[in-house]
Amino acid sequence: MMKKPKKMIIANWKMNVTSEKDAESLFLSIKNVVSKLEYTTMVCCPPHMYVNQVARYVDHRNYRVGGQDAYPEESGSRTGETSVLMMKNAGAEYVILGHSERRHLETKSDVARKVTAVLEHDMVPIICIGEEQRDKNWKKTLTQQLRDVFNRVPKKNPENIIIAYEPVWAISGDKKNPATAVEYMEALEVIKKELQKMFKTAKAVDDMRFLYGGSLDDKNIEDFLKNASVDGFLVGRVSHDPRVLMTMFRLIEDHEHRELFGQLDD
Ligand code: 13P
């Protein structure tokens, strides 16, 4: 796996694309733009049954395909499940795991087994953690979620691990309530401290990638770009809105260019 490269946008389409035709046209509507980006990569995570469809179009290193979940065994009598191996064979290189929208369907040890299986298949787990509320226990919730995974998962290849901080209160329901860059940085401090304890080296944590997700869009992304240390974003609602995505790409590209070369000449 490559080391921390460009900013990542992980597009979690959730259950919002309902036909092969729509999956294909959504992907194709952003493909050409993404292949020209200098500082941004994109991972598209369609519903399981369209992973293969979308993966057939992957011919540029700027975009990849991921699954929204996967069952931790390769095959067997598991009615209705899609295995990690099936995901891999369909072309997925990443798998979103532990998403708050799935946590009521699975136990903590299920999530840990999935992370282990994904790593064993040389794929990249995108491990979602996040508190329900910023109550007096929110930091404990985060550390416990990390322990629930990493006390059960071999602590190898940190460069293949992505942690997505997605506070449940920020994930768009009817109203948007994104976290601020300051709130993300508070959480990142807690997360990194705990991971360092568990992996026992600062280098391991340095090699991981950390994303923010929750009501992110073209209006609030700049707060994160300017004021947070973030390797990328996990987006839901805007992931199937090419117009908003394009604006977000442009904001990332401009920001990264400025970081490297100073002011843009315009
Ligand atoms: P929204 O961007 O719609 O808040 O969803 C975030 C999310 O759950 C991505 O996994």
Side-chain angles (χ1 to χ4, degrees):
M1 259 298 294
M2 44 186 184
K3 240 191 90 57
K4 282 184 186 174
K6 311 175 177 188
K7 291 268 190 271
M8 306 183 84
I9 294 265
I10 315 261
N12 180 4
W13 290 0
K14 305 192 180 183
M15 210 173 66
N16 291 310
V17 174
T18 53
S19 72
E20 276 194 11
K21 193 164 150 281
D22 287 354
E24 188 177 306
S25 66
L26 174 56
F27 186 70
L28 293 180
S29 68
I30 38 186
K31 177 178 183 283
N32 287 340
V33 174
V34 174
S35 53
K36 295 194 185 83
L37 300 176
E38 262 188 83
Y39 308 104
T40 320
T41 58
M42 179 169 191
V43 180
C44 267
C45 300
H48 293 187
M49 61 188 304
Y50 310 130
V51 166
N52 193 244
Q53 176 82 12
V54 170
R56 288 192 353 220
Y57 290 101
V58 170
D59 55 6
H60 192 282
R61 63 193 154 75
N62 270 6
Y63 43 76
R64 293 279 165 254
V65 177
Q68 296 180 16
D69 184 44
Y71 195 80
E73 290 165 20
E74 292 200 338
S75 61
S77 305
R78 302 284 180 227
T79 304
E81 296 290 358
T82 304
S83 76
V84 172
L85 181 62
M86 290 172 184
M87 273 296 166
K88 182 171 177 154
N89 288 339
E93 295 173 69
Y94 295 76
V95 185
I96 297 173
L97 294 172
H99 195 283
S100 58
E101 287 159 11
R102 293 198 53 82
R103 281 199 183 252
H104 64 288
L105 298 167
E106 50 195 19
T107 64
K108 320 172 219 203
S109 71
D110 290 336
V111 177
R113 282 179 67 215
K114 291 176 183 190
V115 174
T116 303
V118 165
L119 288 168
E120 277 170 359
H121 284 79
D122 293 323
M123 297 160 83
V124 178
I126 300 159
I127 305 167
C128 302
I129 60 168
E131 75 283 0
E132 298 263 346
Q133 295 298 335
R134 281 256 162 148
D135 55 16
K136 64 179 181 3
N137 290 323
W138 75 272
K139 293 184 181 175
K140 268 198 204 130
T141 305
L142 286 186
T143 52
Q144 192 54 50
Q145 286 173 336
L146 290 169
R147 285 178 205 168
D148 289 341
V149 173
F150 291 106
N151 284 342
R152 297 172 166 95
V153 171
K155 292 178 199 51
K156 299 189 294 197
N157 306 108
E159 68 282 6
N160 282 1
I161 290 171
I162 297 179
I163 307 285
Y165 172 62
E166 288 210 316
V168 181
W169 51 267
I171 295 178
S172 45
D174 294 334
K175 56 179 176 51
K176 285 201 164 191
N177 184 26
T180 60
V182 169
E183 285 165 326
Y184 164 77
M185 290 305 286
E186 287 167 357
L188 189 64
E189 192 186 333
V190 176
I191 292 168
K192 285 192 168 178
K193 208 161 132 199
E194 187 59 28
L195 287 168
Q196 193 160 325
K197 251 197 249 163
M198 285 186 293
F199 278 76
K200 301 201 168 48
T201 71
K203 163 97 175 54
V205 178
D206 232 36
D207 285 343
M208 294 180 195
R209 278 167 289 172
F210 297 92
L211 312 182
Y212 168 74
S215 295
L216 196 86
D217 62 19
D218 52 345
K219 305 286 182 303
N220 52 37
I221 191 171
E222 278 189 291
D223 178 29
F224 288 87
L225 292 170
K226 286 183 185 148
N227 305 315
S229 157
V230 65
D231 297 309
F233 306 97
L234 177 51
V235 296
R237 187 171 291 192
V238 303
S239 70
H240 44 98
D241 186 336
R243 196 189 49 80
V244 177
L245 278 179
M246 302 298 170
T247 312
M248 289 167 74
F249 291 145
R250 186 178 50 71
L251 290 168
I252 296 175
E253 293 284 299
D254 289 354
H255 178 267
E256 297 299 293
H257 188 88
R258 226 178 273 124
E259 288 284 290
L260 275 175
F261 301 108
Q263 282 308 312
L264 292 173
D265 9 293
D266 46 13

